[in-house]
Amino acid sequence: MNFFDAILVERKKIHRSKILLILFLAAIILWVPSMFNMEMNLELQSGVPSPENNFFIQAFLLFAWFLFPAGMVVATVMLRQLEQGNNGISKMLSLPVQPAMLSLAKFTILVFLAALFILIAVGVYYLAAVFGTVVHDYNFMLSPLFVMKVAVFFFLSAIPMLAVFWMLSVCIQSPIFSAGLGLASVVPSVLMINTEAWFIYPMCYPFYVITMKYLSNSQVSLFPWIPVAAGITIICLAFSCIFFEKAERR
């Protein structure tokens, strides 16, 4: 079994789980409250940001700070638990497949789920924007190019955080403790983005880049952020490959 075969196997597994349903419901939870409070944005009609920008960015900040990381923590734990029933992981490891390759394949699926979660959130945003445009007779829809630019930038900044979550799920055997630690790590993001050392804390990356680039109109310095982020990602994936199902391999 090669790497691409492992990815296809993992992709089939998530279709039988409730991961996609949970992410879809989370995206709806993100935009529905904002959709029913759109008149508050119209009070900013002569201000900065404009109502349509405020509607999008405010909800996306909540998405970046908590909803997206929390959704990815849940997805990570559920992804790790797919083989726990019927001794499935032992059966997988009995196949001619390297544990490290299997770990990377699962991480690739996690990255795919993150991209899908963001796309679902963008799709629900446009549905909410259409609703607001019709009800309030004001165009709440932003340019698809702008929205996709935000989404892509957001996705790329989230990859190191996903690597950390995956490492925690691999190294901590208890799913409750790994999920709890992952969720707890999200909370300090608000504090970390206000420090000069924000780049050492991957869980604040998505929230930081959205806040700086689209709320404060500040440029995000790529150095030392990119080298540090790349280093953290590589280290976390290396630990994940080393410790992936180590107990089952004994």
Short mmCIF file of all heavy atoms in Angstrom, two decimals, residues 185-225:
data_model
loop_
_atom_site.label_atom_id
_atom_site.label_comp_id
_atom_site.label_asym_id
_atom_site.label_seq_id
_atom_site.Cartn_x
_atom_site.Cartn_y
_atom_site.Cartn_z
N SER A 185 -5.96 24.83 24.65
CA SER A 185 -4.88 25.57 23.99
C SER A 185 -5.39 26.70 23.11
O SER A 185 -4.64 27.60 22.74
CB SER A 185 -4.03 24.61 23.15
OG SER A 185 -4.76 24.13 22.03
N VAL A 186 -6.68 26.64 22.75
CA VAL A 186 -7.26 27.67 21.89
C VAL A 186 -7.50 28.97 22.67
O VAL A 186 -7.35 30.07 22.12
CB VAL A 186 -8.58 27.17 21.28
CG1 VAL A 186 -9.27 28.26 20.49
CG2 VAL A 186 -8.32 25.95 20.39
N VAL A 187 -7.87 28.84 23.94
CA VAL A 187 -8.29 29.99 24.73
C VAL A 187 -7.22 31.09 24.82
O VAL A 187 -7.55 32.28 24.67
CB VAL A 187 -8.73 29.54 26.15
CG1 VAL A 187 -9.12 30.74 27.00
CG2 VAL A 187 -9.88 28.55 26.05
N PRO A 188 -5.94 30.77 25.05
CA PRO A 188 -4.93 31.85 25.18
C PRO A 188 -4.63 32.60 23.89
O PRO A 188 -3.81 33.53 23.91
CB PRO A 188 -3.68 31.10 25.65
CG PRO A 188 -4.16 29.79 26.17
CD PRO A 188 -5.35 29.46 25.36
N SER A 189 -5.26 32.23 22.78
CA SER A 189 -4.97 32.88 21.50
C SER A 189 -5.19 34.39 21.57
O SER A 189 -4.43 35.18 20.99
CB SER A 189 -5.84 32.29 20.38
OG SER A 189 -5.55 30.93 20.19
N VAL A 190 -6.24 34.81 22.29
CA VAL A 190 -6.55 36.23 22.41
C VAL A 190 -5.41 36.97 23.09
O VAL A 190 -5.08 38.11 22.72
CB VAL A 190 -7.86 36.43 23.20
CG1 VAL A 190 -8.16 37.91 23.38
CG2 VAL A 190 -9.01 35.76 22.48
N LEU A 191 -4.78 36.32 24.06
CA LEU A 191 -3.66 36.95 24.76
C LEU A 191 -2.39 36.92 23.91
O LEU A 191 -1.64 37.91 23.86
CB LEU A 191 -3.40 36.23 26.09
CG LEU A 191 -4.56 36.24 27.10
CD1 LEU A 191 -4.18 35.42 28.33
CD2 LEU A 191 -4.90 37.67 27.51
N MET A 192 -2.16 35.80 23.23
CA MET A 192 -0.92 35.65 22.47
C MET A 192 -0.82 36.60 21.29
O MET A 192 0.28 37.05 20.95
CB MET A 192 -0.78 34.20 21.98
CG MET A 192 -0.49 33.20 23.07
SD MET A 192 1.04 33.57 24.00
CE MET A 192 2.28 33.47 22.70
N ILE A 193 -1.96 36.93 20.65
CA ILE A 193 -1.86 37.81 19.49
C ILE A 193 -1.45 39.23 19.87
O ILE A 193 -1.07 40.02 19.00
CB ILE A 193 -3.20 37.86 18.71
CG1 ILE A 193 -4.31 38.50 19.54
CG2 ILE A 193 -3.60 36.48 18.23
CD1 ILE A 193 -5.57 38.78 18.75
N ASN A 194 -1.50 39.54 21.16
CA ASN A 194 -1.11 40.87 21.62
C ASN A 194 0.32 40.91 22.14
O ASN A 194 0.74 41.91 22.74
CB ASN A 194 -2.06 41.34 22.73
CG ASN A 194 -3.46 41.57 22.22
OD1 ASN A 194 -3.67 42.31 21.26
ND2 ASN A 194 -4.45 40.93 22.83
N THR A 195 1.06 39.84 21.92
CA THR A 195 2.46 39.80 22.34
C THR A 195 3.37 39.75 21.12
O THR A 195 2.93 39.40 20.01
CB THR A 195 2.74 38.56 23.22
OG1 THR A 195 2.64 37.37 22.40
CG2 THR A 195 1.75 38.47 24.37
N GLU A 196 4.62 40.09 21.31
CA GLU A 196 5.58 40.05 20.21
C GLU A 196 6.00 38.63 19.86
O GLU A 196 6.59 38.40 18.81
CB GLU A 196 6.82 40.89 20.57
CG GLU A 196 6.52 42.38 20.71
CD GLU A 196 7.78 43.18 20.99
OE1 GLU A 196 8.86 42.57 21.14
OE2 GLU A 196 7.68 44.43 21.05
N ALA A 197 5.69 37.69 20.76
CA ALA A 197 6.09 36.30 20.54
C ALA A 197 4.92 35.46 20.01
O ALA A 197 4.91 34.25 20.17
CB ALA A 197 6.63 35.70 21.83
N TRP A 198 3.96 36.08 19.36
CA TRP A 198 2.77 35.36 18.88
C TRP A 198 3.13 34.23 17.94
O TRP A 198 2.43 33.21 17.87
CB TRP A 198 1.83 36.34 18.17
CG TRP A 198 2.41 36.91 16.91
CD1 TRP A 198 3.16 38.03 16.80
CD2 TRP A 198 2.31 36.35 15.59
NE1 TRP A 198 3.54 38.23 15.49
CE2 TRP A 198 3.02 37.21 14.73
CE3 TRP A 198 1.68 35.23 15.06
CZ2 TRP A 198 3.13 36.97 13.36
CZ3 TRP A 198 1.78 34.99 13.70
CH2 TRP A 198 2.50 35.85 12.86
N PHE A 199 4.24 34.38 17.19
CA PHE A 199 4.59 33.40 16.16
C PHE A 199 5.04 32.06 16.71
O PHE A 199 5.20 31.10 15.96
CB PHE A 199 5.67 33.98 15.24
CG PHE A 199 6.89 34.47 15.97
CD1 PHE A 199 7.92 33.61 16.33
CD2 PHE A 199 7.02 35.81 16.32
CE1 PHE A 199 9.04 34.06 17.01
CE2 PHE A 199 8.13 36.28 17.00
CZ PHE A 199 9.14 35.40 17.35
N ILE A 200 5.27 31.97 18.03
CA ILE A 200 5.67 30.69 18.62
C ILE A 200 4.46 29.87 19.06
O ILE A 200 4.62 28.76 19.55
CB ILE A 200 6.62 30.88 19.82
CG1 ILE A 200 5.88 31.56 20.98
CG2 ILE A 200 7.84 31.70 19.42
CD1 ILE A 200 6.70 31.61 22.27
N TYR A 201 3.26 30.42 18.88
CA TYR A 201 2.04 29.75 19.35
C TYR A 201 1.10 29.50 18.17
O TYR A 201 0.30 30.36 17.80
CB TYR A 201 1.34 30.63 20.40
CG TYR A 201 0.35 29.89 21.26
CD1 TYR A 201 0.78 28.94 22.18
CD2 TYR A 201 -1.02 30.12 21.14
CE1 TYR A 201 -0.13 28.25 22.97
CE2 TYR A 201 -1.93 29.44 21.92
CZ TYR A 201 -1.48 28.51 22.83
OH TYR A 201 -2.39 27.82 23.62
N PRO A 202 1.19 28.33 17.55
CA PRO A 202 0.44 28.06 16.31
C PRO A 202 -1.07 28.19 16.45
O PRO A 202 -1.76 28.49 15.47
CB PRO A 202 0.82 26.61 15.98
CG PRO A 202 2.11 26.38 16.68
CD PRO A 202 2.05 27.21 17.93
N MET A 203 -1.61 27.96 17.66
CA MET A 203 -3.06 28.02 17.82
C MET A 203 -3.63 29.42 17.61
O MET A 203 -4.84 29.59 17.42
CB MET A 203 -3.47 27.50 19.20
CG MET A 203 -3.56 25.98 19.27
SD MET A 203 -1.98 25.13 18.98
CE MET A 203 -1.11 25.50 20.50
N CYS A 204 -2.77 30.44 17.64
CA CYS A 204 -3.26 31.80 17.44
C CYS A 204 -3.03 32.30 16.01
O CYS A 204 -3.45 33.40 15.68
CB CYS A 204 -2.60 32.76 18.44
SG CYS A 204 -0.92 33.27 18.01
N TYR A 205 -2.39 31.50 15.17
CA TYR A 205 -2.07 31.95 13.81
C TYR A 205 -3.30 32.42 13.03
O TYR A 205 -3.31 33.54 12.49
CB TYR A 205 -1.35 30.85 13.02
CG TYR A 205 0.07 30.57 13.42
CD1 TYR A 205 0.80 29.56 12.81
CD2 TYR A 205 0.70 31.30 14.43
CE1 TYR A 205 2.10 29.28 13.16
CE2 TYR A 205 2.01 31.02 14.80
CZ TYR A 205 2.71 30.00 14.15
OH TYR A 205 4.00 29.73 14.51
N PRO A 206 -4.35 31.59 12.89
CA PRO A 206 -5.51 32.04 12.07
C PRO A 206 -6.14 33.30 12.63
O PRO A 206 -6.48 34.21 11.86
CB PRO A 206 -6.47 30.83 12.15
CG PRO A 206 -5.60 29.67 12.46
CD PRO A 206 -4.53 30.20 13.36
N PHE A 207 -6.31 33.35 13.95
CA PHE A 207 -6.93 34.51 14.58
C PHE A 207 -6.07 35.76 14.39
O PHE A 207 -6.57 36.86 14.11
CB PHE A 207 -7.15 34.23 16.06
CG PHE A 207 -7.98 35.26 16.78
CD1 PHE A 207 -9.12 35.78 16.20
CD2 PHE A 207 -7.62 35.72 18.03
CE1 PHE A 207 -9.90 36.73 16.85
CE2 PHE A 207 -8.37 36.67 18.69
CZ PHE A 207 -9.51 37.18 18.10
N TYR A 208 -4.75 35.58 14.49
CA TYR A 208 -3.83 36.72 14.36
C TYR A 208 -3.86 37.29 12.96
O TYR A 208 -3.96 38.52 12.78
CB TYR A 208 -2.41 36.28 14.73
CG TYR A 208 -1.40 37.39 14.62
CD1 TYR A 208 -1.19 38.27 15.68
CD2 TYR A 208 -0.65 37.57 13.46
CE1 TYR A 208 -0.27 39.30 15.59
CE2 TYR A 208 0.27 38.61 13.35
CZ TYR A 208 0.46 39.46 14.42
OH TYR A 208 1.37 40.49 14.31
N VAL A 209 -3.75 36.43 11.96
CA VAL A 209 -3.65 36.94 10.59
C VAL A 209 -4.95 37.62 10.15
O VAL A 209 -4.92 38.63 9.44
CB VAL A 209 -3.25 35.83 9.60
CG1 VAL A 209 -1.87 35.27 9.93
CG2 VAL A 209 -4.28 34.70 9.57
N ILE A 210 -6.10 37.07 10.58
CA ILE A 210 -7.37 37.71 10.23
C ILE A 210 -7.50 39.05 10.94
O ILE A 210 -7.93 40.05 10.36
CB ILE A 210 -8.56 36.79 10.60
CG1 ILE A 210 -8.52 35.51 9.76
CG2 ILE A 210 -9.88 37.51 10.38
CD1 ILE A 210 -8.63 35.74 8.27
N THR A 211 -7.11 39.10 12.21
CA THR A 211 -7.20 40.33 12.98
C THR A 211 -6.31 41.42 12.40
O THR A 211 -6.72 42.57 12.21
CB THR A 211 -6.82 40.09 14.46
OG1 THR A 211 -7.70 39.10 15.01
CG2 THR A 211 -6.93 41.36 15.27
N MET A 212 -5.06 41.07 12.12
CA MET A 212 -4.09 42.05 11.66
C MET A 212 -4.37 42.52 10.23
O MET A 212 -4.37 43.70 9.94
CB MET A 212 -2.66 41.47 11.73
CG MET A 212 -2.15 41.23 13.13
SD MET A 212 -1.99 42.75 14.12
CE MET A 212 -3.40 42.59 15.22
N LYS A 213 -4.64 41.56 9.37
CA LYS A 213 -4.73 41.89 7.95
C LYS A 213 -6.07 42.51 7.56
O LYS A 213 -6.14 43.41 6.72
CB LYS A 213 -4.47 40.64 7.11
CG LYS A 213 -4.25 40.93 5.62
CD LYS A 213 -3.78 39.69 4.90
CE LYS A 213 -3.54 39.96 3.42
NZ LYS A 213 -2.48 40.94 3.19
N TYR A 214 -7.15 42.05 8.19
CA TYR A 214 -8.46 42.46 7.72
C TYR A 214 -9.24 43.30 8.73
O TYR A 214 -10.32 43.80 8.40
CB TYR A 214 -9.28 41.24 7.32
CG TYR A 214 -8.63 40.47 6.21
CD1 TYR A 214 -7.98 39.27 6.47
CD2 TYR A 214 -8.61 40.96 4.91
CE1 TYR A 214 -7.35 38.56 5.44
CE2 TYR A 214 -7.99 40.27 3.88
CZ TYR A 214 -7.36 39.07 4.16
OH TYR A 214 -6.73 38.39 3.15
N LEU A 215 -8.72 43.45 9.95
CA LEU A 215 -9.38 44.31 10.93
C LEU A 215 -8.52 45.52 11.26
O LEU A 215 -8.99 46.65 11.31
CB LEU A 215 -9.70 43.52 12.21
CG LEU A 215 -10.66 44.20 13.18
CD1 LEU A 215 -12.02 44.39 12.54
CD2 LEU A 215 -10.79 43.40 14.47
N SER A 216 -7.22 45.28 11.47
CA SER A 216 -6.31 46.38 11.79
C SER A 216 -5.62 46.95 10.56
O SER A 216 -4.90 47.94 10.65
CB SER A 216 -5.23 45.89 12.78
OG SER A 216 -5.83 45.41 13.96
N ASN A 217 -5.81 46.29 9.40
CA ASN A 217 -5.16 46.71 8.15
C ASN A 217 -3.65 46.79 8.29
O ASN A 217 -3.00 47.65 7.71
CB ASN A 217 -5.71 48.07 7.69
CG ASN A 217 -7.17 47.98 7.27
OD1 ASN A 217 -7.56 47.03 6.61
ND2 ASN A 217 -7.96 48.97 7.67
N SER A 218 -3.09 45.87 9.10
CA SER A 218 -1.65 45.82 9.31
C SER A 218 -1.06 44.66 8.51
O SER A 218 -1.71 43.63 8.30
CB SER A 218 -1.32 45.64 10.79
OG SER A 218 -1.86 46.69 11.55
N GLN A 219 0.16 44.82 8.08
CA GLN A 219 0.85 43.77 7.36
C GLN A 219 1.41 42.74 8.33
O GLN A 219 1.97 43.08 9.37
CB GLN A 219 1.98 44.35 6.51
CG GLN A 219 1.50 45.21 5.36
CD GLN A 219 0.69 44.42 4.35
OE1 GLN A 219 1.01 43.27 4.04
NE2 GLN A 219 -0.37 45.03 3.83
N VAL A 220 1.23 41.48 8.00
CA VAL A 220 1.77 40.40 8.82
C VAL A 220 3.20 40.14 8.39
O VAL A 220 3.46 39.83 7.23
CB VAL A 220 0.93 39.12 8.67
CG1 VAL A 220 1.50 37.99 9.52
CG2 VAL A 220 -0.52 39.39 9.05
N SER A 221 4.13 40.27 9.34
CA SER A 221 5.54 40.05 9.04
C SER A 221 5.79 38.56 8.82
O SER A 221 5.47 37.73 9.68
CB SER A 221 6.41 40.56 10.19
OG SER A 221 7.77 40.30 9.94
N LEU A 222 6.35 38.21 7.67
CA LEU A 222 6.59 36.80 7.34
C LEU A 222 7.82 36.23 8.03
O LEU A 222 7.98 35.01 8.10
CB LEU A 222 6.72 36.65 5.83
CG LEU A 222 5.49 37.04 5.01
CD1 LEU A 222 5.74 36.79 3.53
CD2 LEU A 222 4.25 36.32 5.47
N PHE A 223 8.69 37.11 8.54
CA PHE A 223 9.87 36.65 9.27
C PHE A 223 9.84 37.24 10.67
O PHE A 223 9.60 38.44 10.82
CB PHE A 223 11.16 37.09 8.55
CG PHE A 223 12.40 36.55 9.21
CD1 PHE A 223 12.87 35.29 8.89
CD2 PHE A 223 13.09 37.30 10.16
CE1 PHE A 223 14.01 34.79 9.49
CE2 PHE A 223 14.22 36.81 10.77
CZ PHE A 223 14.69 35.55 10.43
N PRO A 224 9.98 36.42 11.72
CA PRO A 224 10.36 34.99 11.70
C PRO A 224 9.18 34.03 11.67
O PRO A 224 9.36 32.84 11.94
CB PRO A 224 11.12 34.86 13.01
CG PRO A 224 10.40 35.79 13.94
CD PRO A 224 9.98 36.97 13.09
N TRP A 225 7.98 34.51 11.35
CA TRP A 225 6.79 33.65 11.43
C TRP A 225 6.92 32.40 10.56
O TRP A 225 6.74 31.27 11.06
CB TRP A 225 5.55 34.44 11.03
CG TRP A 225 4.31 33.63 10.97
CD1 TRP A 225 3.95 32.59 11.78
CD2 TRP A 225 3.25 33.76 10.01
NE1 TRP A 225 2.73 32.08 11.41
CE2 TRP A 225 2.27 32.77 10.33
CE3 TRP A 225 3.01 34.62 8.94
CZ2 TRP A 225 1.10 32.64 9.60
CZ3 TRP A 225 1.83 34.48 8.22
CH2 TRP A 225 0.90 33.50 8.55
#
